[in-house]
C-alpha cells in the first residue's frame, strides 16, 4: 500500500536579524531633527509594536536614540557617526574652569549647552550631590523656548529664525510654561534688556529654576552657561556670576571680537 506523504508546510521567511531591525528603525528617521512616536516607528518599519518598543529601549540605552515626551529622535551616537554634531571641544575646554568655579562658589548645578535646532543640548553638567536631582544629562536635550539656556541663546538670533526653530514645537511642559511665540518674544526682549541674563522657574521641569547667559561669537550664539536650583533658590544673587563666566568664555574663544548689540532684525517688543 502506498502511503501518501503529507505536503510539507510552506516555508516561512525568517524574520530580519536584530541588526536589520535596528537599521530599519534608524532609517525610519528622515532627518536629524525628526521625532517619531512608538506607533510611528511600528507603522513605518512594519515591526510588531512590542518588538519595536524592545529595540527602541536598547537603542536608547546605547545613545543611538533620545526620548522625550514628544517622541523619539536620533541620539548623540547616531549624530556623531553622521558628522552632524559640531566639534565642541574648544567650547568645553574654554568653559571648564569657569564651570567649576561657579559650582564651588554657589553650590548649585552648572550646565554648559549649545543650541541644536529648537532644542538645547547639554555638553557638561557639574555640581554637588543635589545635581543628581536635576532632570538633565550630558548628551540630553530640552526645549529651547522654556529653558533659561535656550532663551539666553535665542535672544541673540533674528526673530524669524526664532520662529522657525521653536514655533512649530511650542507646547506647555508645565502649568508655568511660556508656550506662545508673542510671549516668548516679550521674554527675549527682557533677556536683552538684562544684558543677556535669562531666568526660568518651573517652566520646563517642575520645581526647578535656572538662570543662564549666552556665550557669543561673531556669527551669533555659541553656547550658554546656567546655574540650576530648586524653585526657591534666589537666583538673582548669583546671576552676575553667570553673566561674568559667559563673558569670560566669550573673550577666550574670540579675543579680538567685541560683542555689539547682536544680529540685526532682532524683534523688540515693548512690555
Amino acid at each position: 500500500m502506498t502511503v501518501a506523504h503529507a505536503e510539507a508546510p510552506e516555508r516561512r521567511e525568517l524574520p530580519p536579524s536584530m541588526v536589520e531591525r535596528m537599521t530599519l528603525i534608524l532609517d525610519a528617521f528622515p532627518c536629524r531633527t525628526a521625532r517619531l512616536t512608538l506607533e510611528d516607528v511600528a507603522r513605518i518599519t512594519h515591526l510588531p509594536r512590542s518588538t519595536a518598543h524592545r529595540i527602541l529601549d536598547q537603542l536608547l540605552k546605547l545613545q543611538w536614540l533620545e526620548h522625550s515626551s514628544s517622541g523619539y529622535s536620533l541620539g548623540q551616537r547616531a549624530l556623531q557617526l553622521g558628522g552632524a554634531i559640531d566639534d565642541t571641544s574648544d567650547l568645553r575646554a574654554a568653559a571648564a574652569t569657569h564651570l567649576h568655579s561657579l559650582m564651588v562658589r554657589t553650590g548649585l548645578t552648572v550646565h554648559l549647552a549649545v543650541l541644536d535646532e529648537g532644542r538645547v543640548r547639554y555638553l557638561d553638567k557639574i555640581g554637588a550631590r543635589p545635581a543628581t536631582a536635576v532632570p538633565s544629562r550630558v548628551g540630553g536635550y530640552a526645549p529651547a523656548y522654556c529653558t533659561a539656556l535656550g532663551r539666553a541663546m535665542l535672544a541673540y538670533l533674528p526673530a524669524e529664525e526664532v520662529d522657525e526653530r521653536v514655533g512649530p514645537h511650542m507646547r506647555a511642559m508645565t502649568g508655568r510654561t511660556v508656550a506662545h511665540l508673542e510671549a516668548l518674544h516679550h521674554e527675549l526682549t527682557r533677556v536683552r534688556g538684562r544684558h543677556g541674563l535669562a531666568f526660568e522657574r518651573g517652566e520646563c521641569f517642575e520645581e526647578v529654576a535656572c538662570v543662564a547667559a549666552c556665550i557669543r561669537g561673531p556669527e551669533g550664539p555659541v553656547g550658554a552657561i546656567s546655574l540650576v536650583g530648586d524653585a526657591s533658590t534666589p537666583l538673582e544673587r548669583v546671576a552676575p556670576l553667570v553673566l561674568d563666566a559667559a563673558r569670560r568664555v566669550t573673550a577666550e574663544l574670540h579675543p579680538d571680537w567685541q560683542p555689539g548689540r547682536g544680529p540685526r532684525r532682532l524683534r523688540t517688543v515693548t512690555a
Side-chain angles (χ1 to χ4, degrees):
M1 181 174 68
T2 303
V3 179
H5 293 281
E7 186 177 343
E10 183 180 352
R11 186 173 180 177
R12 300 180 64 181
E13 197 172 309
L14 293 174
S17 68
M18 179 58 73
V19 173
E20 290 173 314
R21 294 179 183 184
M22 291 174 63
T23 302
L24 280 175
I25 288 177
L26 292 173
D27 283 348
F29 293 86
C31 65
R32 64 191 294 255
T33 59
R35 306 191 76 81
L36 302 176
T37 64
L38 171 59
E39 288 70 24
D40 291 332
V41 173
R43 174 178 51 81
I44 294 169
T45 63
H46 303 291
L47 292 171
R49 189 178 187 277
S50 60
T51 300
H53 187 260
R54 185 172 65 252
I55 299 173
L56 285 168
D57 279 346
Q58 291 298 313
L59 291 171
L60 284 173
K61 291 176 182 177
L62 295 172
Q63 297 186 336
W64 288 104
L65 295 179
E66 298 282 349
H67 184 257
S68 69
S69 57
S70 58
Y72 296 89
S73 61
L74 293 176
Q76 186 176 19
R77 180 168 287 180
L79 294 174
Q80 284 176 329
L81 192 62
I85 292 184
D86 296 329
D87 181 13
T88 57
S89 57
D90 288 346
L91 172 60
R92 294 184 66 184
T97 300
H98 304 288
L99 300 182
H100 184 264
S101 177
L102 280 173
M103 186 270 292
V104 171
R105 296 179 69 178
T106 66
L108 299 174
T109 301
V110 186
H111 284 138
L112 174 68
V114 292
L115 197 60
D116 189 338
E117 299 298 333
R119 302 178 294 170
V120 297
R121 174 163 56 88
Y122 297 102
L123 299 183
D124 277 314
K125 174 185 178 179
I126 62 173
R129 188 170 57 86
T132 58
V134 178
S136 60
R137 65 179 181 83
V138 174
Y141 293 85
Y145 62 89
C146 61
T147 56
L149 285 163
R151 290 175 185 172
M153 292 183 277
L154 292 175
Y156 293 100
L157 289 178
E160 295 82 357
E161 188 171 344
V162 173
D163 295 350
E164 292 173 3
R165 285 176 181 252
V166 306
H169 310 292
M170 295 185 76
R171 63 182 184 82
M173 301 287 288
T174 74
R176 301 181 59 128
T177 306
V178 173
H180 301 284
L181 272 174
E182 196 62 30
L184 175 64
H185 282 294
H186 273 285
E187 180 57 34
L188 298 183
T189 298
R190 285 191 284 269
V191 171
R192 292 189 291 272
R194 292 190 293 258
H195 308 288
L197 279 172
F199 291 88
E200 174 266 312
R201 292 184 183 274
E203 293 189 43
C204 187
F205 302 112
E206 296 280 3
E207 304 303 324
V208 174
C210 310
V211 59
C214 184
I215 300 165
R216 299 168 61 192
E219 302 302 319
V222 174
I225 296 172
S226 72
L227 282 173
V228 188
D230 61 37
S232 63
T233 303
L235 294 175
E236 289 77 10
R237 295 182 184 176
V238 296
L241 300 177
V242 180
L243 189 58
D244 181 65
R247 287 173 173 172
R248 289 176 182 272
V249 177
T250 294
E252 289 186 31
L253 290 173
H254 306 285
D256 299 323
W257 178 69
Q258 293 296 324
R261 291 186 173 271
R264 289 176 295 174
R265 297 181 293 124
L266 293 174
R267 180 182 299 171
T268 299
V269 182
T270 57

